[in-house]
Amino acid sequence: MRALVWHGKKDIRCDTVPDPGIEESRDAIVKVTTCAICGSDLHLFDGFMMGMKAGDIIGHEFMGEVVEVGAENRKLKVGDRVVVPFTIACGDCDQCKAGNFSVCERSNRNRDLQDKAFGHHTAGLFGYTHLTGGYAGGQAEYVRVPFADVGPVKIPDGLTDEQVLFLGDILPTGWQAAMQCDIQPTDTVAIWGAGPVGQMAIRSAVLLGAKQVVAIDCLPERLSMARAGGAVTIDFEEESVIDRLNDLTQGKGPDKCIDAVGMEAHISHHHPDSIYDRAKQAMFLETDRPHVLREMIYVCRPAGILSIPGVYGGLVDKIPFGALMNKGLTIRTGQTHVNRWTDDLLRRIQNGEIDPTFVITHTVRLEDGPAMYRTFRDKQDGCVKCVIKPQQLH
Amino acid sequence: MEYELQNPRRERLERTAIGLGWFSIALGATELVFGEPLARALGMPRRAGVLRLFGVREIATGIGLLAARDRQPWLWGRVAGDGLDLAFLAANVDGNPRPVGIATAIGAVVGATAMDALTAQGLAGCERKARRAQVDYSSRSGFPLGIQAARDLARHALQQSAVRH
């Protein structure tokens, strides 16, 4: 089969690789009909995540048709149409039973590696380093889905791939980010980053009843999409984020802040700390660029909540912990517990409350995937979200 | 490339570019008229002719900056000229009888170069942004029933939740 394969930093190729097969009795093999490039895939592309090996198949946002099931899989049958969550959950461990699917205690088959790096292990993820199990990803014609009697979400007839694909990652990620904010009708929710997750977080905050949603970015096309979703926008290259947020909240600061940027914050002379972070990254003294974290801590209203769906990989420094502590801020973060939210979100899609297709700006074949990584990374051609059709040859 | 003034940042940068244009003309006129005393002050009395030539260049660049609709090429032209100035001053450092004078001149040119480059780069950024702004997603709300319906739905859900509690 053909798949997008990581060969090294900034080197992703469309290769022919062996087809996957059933390895465990609860597995399923899914023929991928639609997948997407996620913002967090760019961290792999740019070489900021440790634990990748040349030859790894990438991609963790995908859906398709079940073509083979393991002997003990009672949930799926051949022909089922499913969206596969990017987190792999066993469904049996304490964490899965508590709904904490992204910290499943059993699905990460390289748990020793992650125990050493993080103190404990978290769930296995598709196509996202050997720290999270080294599972083959879904930017491919076929993919093996472990514990396939737990994660995959069966899709009813009448919905297109594009309508439901993002149930596997960015929609529940944006939704969880907003849910973590405990949004009240009087709240101003500020969201840093108007990329795909930020866009979903904006819609989620609106659907959860925030009084005011503010989106912060510097790309006009993304800001226009944010405004379309009901957000007030701040272009950080044109005005001071802190001054504007204070203006919008009568000096109180936003009640809730969402970091939908993560470890690769924009490097700009408007944010001298981002230049400092980049210099430290180059000297291997810091792995991530936490400009957004610093700004959120500074501007958030005391007793507010910071929700962090943006991916961080390792070490950050110069975090104003004194402000964080004295302002009594709450931080909530983590990979998305996808299955905790999928039933509700699927219902909302069916009811027409939200249509996630708004975010798709590009649709390409698998062969065009490597080039699209660059387009998406460089934010060229108005690219916000790229969808790939692995079965499409021409 | 021509583009319209659209935001305060671009207006600020345009004002800076105009300021640099007038500065260029003033500096050029000084070099042209006071070439000899200036050369003496810099410790290179035999180089007055070169300073006058540089003055002509400065005046031409200044006029170009003030007259052009797109000031970027002229700003980069100033950066190139600054490089020439620096090379010239550096070549006259050794054995210079006025080390303070020439060091001050070098410092001033470095400052001007930074200002020129930052302004040119800033205008280039504004131009890129203006091009990007042509991609408009303002019709992509993601709410098939409309934003107001989404807000009403949220309000209703919050009211129901309050009643339950």
Side-chain angles (χ1 to χ4, degrees), chain A residues 203 206-209 218-221 224-225 228-230 235 237-238 270 352-355 358 360-361 379 382, chain B residues 7-10 12 118 126 129 132-133 135-145 147 150-151 153-155 158:
Chain A
R203 274 72 180 174
V206 169
L207 282 170
L208 291 170
C218 69
L219 301 175
E221 67 274 19
S224 74
M225 191 182 272
D235 181 337
E237 285 189 341
E238 307 295 342
H270 300 279
E353 291 175 34
I354 185 165
D355 176 9
F358 77 90
I360 301 171
T361 53
K379 300 170 178 70
Chain B
N7 61 51
R9 182 168 170 246
R10 179 173 297 160
R12 218 167 36 243
L118 281 174
C126 288
K129 188 162 277 195
R132 299 191 77 105
V135 181
D136 181 19
Y137 296 132
S138 57
S139 62
R140 294 175 174 236
S141 82
F143 298 121
L145 307 173
I147 292 179
R151 291 201 167 113
L153 207 69
R155 199 172 303 119
L158 285 168

Side-chain angles (χ1 to χ4, degrees), chain B residues 77-89:
Chain B
R78 265 191 59 80
V79 173
D82 293 336
L84 209 60
D85 290 347
L86 281 173
F88 171 70
L89 290 169

Side-chain angles (χ1 to χ4, degrees), chain A residues 186-333:
Chain A
T186 52
D187 279 351
T188 292
V189 180
I191 298 167
W192 276 255
V197 168
Q199 298 290 347
M200 295 301 169
I202 290 166
R203 274 72 180 174
S204 301
V206 169
L207 282 170
L208 291 170
K211 184 182 89 179
Q212 181 172 233
V213 180
V214 186
I216 300 147
D217 204 297
C218 69
L219 301 175
E221 67 274 19
R222 294 184 177 204
L223 291 172
S224 74
M225 191 182 272
R227 280 191 294 275
V232 174
T233 57
I234 299 176
D235 181 337
F236 65 76
E237 285 189 341
E238 307 295 342
E239 55 189 332
S240 158
V241 172
I242 289 166
D243 290 350
R244 184 81 195 286
L245 282 173
N246 282 327
D247 285 348
L248 289 166
T249 55
Q250 290 75 49
K252 293 178 177 175
D255 307 272
K256 313 288 162 60
C257 297
I258 294 175
D259 173 0
V261 173
M263 65 194 291
E264 287 191 73
H266 193 77
I267 303 163
S268 161
H269 67 273
H270 300 279
H271 306 139
D273 61 317
S274 66
I275 297 169
Y276 163 85
D277 287 327
R278 187 66 193 91
K280 287 199 77 170
Q281 270 183 327
M283 293 185 283
F284 301 103
L285 296 173
E286 188 180 30
T287 57
D288 306 354
R289 300 195 294 269
H291 165 76
V292 170
L293 280 182
R294 296 185 189 114
E295 198 159 71
M296 289 202 310
I297 291 169
Y298 188 79
V299 79
C300 188
R301 188 177 185 179
I305 294 175
L306 312 179
S307 173
I308 309 171
V311 172
Y312 287 86
L315 304 175
V316 297
D317 73 359
K318 303 291 181 290
I319 297 297
F321 216 85
L324 177 82
M325 184 271 163
N326 285 286
K327 289 169 81 172
L329 304 179
T330 299
I331 291 184
R332 290 178 180 157
T333 184

